[in-house]
Amino acid sequence: MAALLCENCTSRYHQPQLSRPLEISCMLLLIMLGKVGLDFFMLQVKHKKVKVSFMGYFCVSLALLDFILLLNIAVILYLEDFALWGVRFTKYHICLFTQIISLTYGTLHYPVYLVAGLDYYMTVAQTSQFPCRGRRLFYICVVAFIWISGFFCILKVPAIYEELEIRNHFSPYQCPVYVSMQSYSVSVAMLVLLGMALMVCWKEVITMLLAVRVASFAGQHVLMFSYVPNNNSTCFKQQLLTRLLICFLGTWAPFVLFQFIILFLGAWIPAYMEMNVPWLYFINSFLIGVAYWCRCHDVELTEEMWSTDPFVSWKFCFMPFNNENTEPAEKPGTVIVIC
C-alpha cells in the first residue's frame, strides 16, 4: 500500500511513543494477527481454477512468512525470556524481527512487480492451463531467490545492521517502524496511469456506463454494455482500453479510492503491513490488464485464456472484437462484462 515518509524521521522510520515494551509487543501481535487473517482470507476467496503464475506463488509465500512472524511474536510474548539452540530470546527480538521483515518487504516491491509484469507479458497469450512441472519449479525457485536475496541484502549491509543495534540499544522502549518509498512510488505511478487512461477514453466510459444493463449469463450476474464495431487499429485499442478499465475498476474501485485517500492525506503505513496479499492481487490485476492491452492482437480467444486473474474476469473485453472461436454474445451489438 502507499506510504509517505515522516517529515521529522531519519532513515525512513517512525517511532511510536509507547511507554512499555509490552504495549509494543501486543500491538505488533494484534496487527500481524489481522494481517495474517486477511492474507489467508484472500487466498481462500479467490478463484481456484487459475493458471499458475509467479505472483500466485509469491502471494502464498508472503502469507506463510507473515504467519511465521506472527508465530514467533506469539511464542516470544508468551515465554518472555527463553533460550533456543544457544540463543536467548526476549521481547527485544519481537521488535528486531519486525524491523528485519519491514526492511526486507520494503526493498522487494520493484523486483516483484518487474518479474510479475514480465511473466504476464510473456505468458498472457499462452493457452495452456496447466503448465509443465518445470515452470512450476521455476516459479518456486524465483520466489525463493527473491526472498533470499532480500534478506541477504538487509542482513549483510553493515550500516543497516549497526543502525538497528544502536537504535534498539538506546531506545529499548521504542520500536522504529520503517516505511517503504517503493510502495509510495508504485501507488503514485498506478494512479497517474489510471488517470491518464480515464482522460483518454472518458467519453467511451461514460457512454458505456449510461448504456449499462444488468443481465444473467451462464448463471452469473453480468453487466451488458453497448458495442459499436470498429476495424480501425487505434479505435480498436481505445475501445479495448475502455473495457479493461471498466473490468478493473468494477472490482478494485474501492481499493483505488483507498490509495488516493492515503496519498492525499499523506498517511504512512509500516513496511511490514503495506506488502500484503490484497495489495499484491490488486497489483496483479493491474499488470494483467496492461499485458492484455499490450498484446491484444496475440490473445487467443479460448476458455483457458481467461483463467489468469483470480479476481477479475477479462473474457468479454475481447469477445466482440473477434468471436470466431468463441460463443456469440447474448444479443448482437452488446458486450458482456462479468463483475
Side-chain angles (χ1 to χ4, degrees):
M1 294 183 180
L4 287 178
L5 295 178
C6 178
E7 293 181 356
N8 297 323
C9 301
T10 59
S11 301
R12 298 181 297 173
Y13 62 83
H14 179 79
Q15 298 182 358
Q17 301 298 321
L18 299 176
S19 58
R20 297 194 304 271
L22 182 61
E23 294 182 4
I24 300 177
S25 302
C26 291
M27 180 189 68
L28 291 176
L29 178 65
L30 292 176
I31 291 176
M32 289 306 303
L33 183 62
K35 183 187 178 185
V36 169
L38 185 60
D39 288 347
F40 283 98
F41 173 77
M42 293 296 291
L43 292 175
Q44 183 65 30
V45 300
K46 71 180 182 69
H47 296 304
K48 306 300 180 183
K49 296 182 178 180
V50 294
K51 294 193 299 184
V52 296
S53 63
F54 163 78
M55 187 65 86
Y57 280 101
F58 189 83
C59 288
V60 173
S61 68
L62 177 65
L64 293 177
L65 194 59
D66 284 340
F67 179 75
I68 293 174
L69 177 61
L70 173 64
L71 190 62
N72 288 334
I73 294 176
V75 170
I76 296 175
L77 189 60
Y78 178 75
L79 298 178
E80 293 187 356
D81 191 346
F82 66 99
L84 180 64
W85 297 324
V87 180
R88 183 184 176 187
F89 292 92
T90 64
K91 288 186 177 67
Y92 158 79
H93 291 88
I94 294 178
C95 180
L96 180 62
F97 291 156
T98 305
Q99 290 173 330
I100 294 174
I101 289 292
S102 296
L103 288 168
T104 305
Y105 285 5
T107 59
L108 292 184
H109 289 274
Y110 288 164
V112 169
Y113 304 154
L114 177 61
V115 173
L118 292 175
D119 177 40
Y120 286 126
Y121 182 82
M122 293 185 295
T123 62
V124 74
Q126 298 178 3
T127 59
S128 176
Q129 186 173 5
F130 301 102
C132 62
R133 185 177 301 177
R135 177 175 294 178
R136 294 175 181 269
L137 182 61
F138 173 75
Y139 286 146
I140 294 174
C141 291
V142 172
V143 170
F145 174 77
I146 289 178
W147 281 120
I148 293 173
S149 300
F151 281 112
F152 181 82
C153 292
I154 295 302
L155 297 176
K156 289 299 181 179
V157 175
I160 295 178
Y161 187 79
E162 291 175 2
E163 183 178 356
L164 287 177
E165 291 290 339
I166 294 174
R167 291 291 174 180
N168 292 329
H169 177 74
F170 289 100
S171 302
Y173 300 109
Q174 297 176 345
C175 184
V177 179
Y178 288 79
V179 179
S180 173
M181 195 63 185
Q182 291 187 11
S183 177
Y184 169 73
S185 60
V186 169
S187 294
V188 172
M190 285 189 60
L191 291 179
V192 170
L193 290 176
L194 289 173
M196 293 175 61
L198 286 172
M199 290 179 61
V200 169
C201 56
W202 66 272
K203 292 183 179 179
E204 290 79 3
V205 171
I206 294 177
T207 301
M208 285 190 176
L209 292 178
L210 292 177
V212 64
R213 291 194 299 117
V214 180
S216 179
F217 183 83
Q220 302 183 65
H221 293 291
V222 299
L223 300 179
M224 298 180 62
F225 297 91
S226 61
Y227 166 65
V228 179
N230 197 314
N231 296 325
N232 184 275
S233 177
T234 303
C235 294
F236 165 83
K237 300 202 73 172
Q238 186 169 347
Q239 290 176 355
L240 177 61
L241 179 61
T242 303
R243 296 196 181 98
L244 292 174
L245 275 174
I246 293 176
C247 285
F248 178 78
L249 294 177
T251 301
W252 296 109
F255 217 87
V256 174
L257 180 61
F258 181 59
Q259 290 297 303
F260 178 80
I261 294 175
I262 289 177
L263 294 176
F264 179 78
L265 296 178
W268 60 268
I269 297 177
Y272 66 91
M273 284 294 296
E274 62 187 354
M275 179 176 280
N276 53 73
V277 173
W279 166 253
L280 291 179
Y281 277 131
F282 171 68
I283 297 289
N284 183 65
S285 296
F286 181 82
L287 295 175
I288 292 175
V290 173
Y292 274 139
W293 188 74
C294 293
R295 301 200 61 185
C296 57
H297 297 287
D298 301 322
V299 173
E300 298 183 18
L301 306 181
T302 60
E303 287 300 324
E304 293 80 6
M305 189 65 256
W306 317 119
S307 59
T308 304
D309 197 315
F311 288 95
V312 181
S313 177
W314 308 95
K315 176 177 181 179
F316 296 102
C317 292
F318 293 86
M319 284 186 64
F321 294 119
N322 180 8
N323 56 12
E324 295 178 359
N325 299 322
T326 59
E327 297 178 359
E330 189 172 280
K331 288 184 179 181
T334 62
V335 53
I336 305 174
V337 180
I338 294 181
C339 298

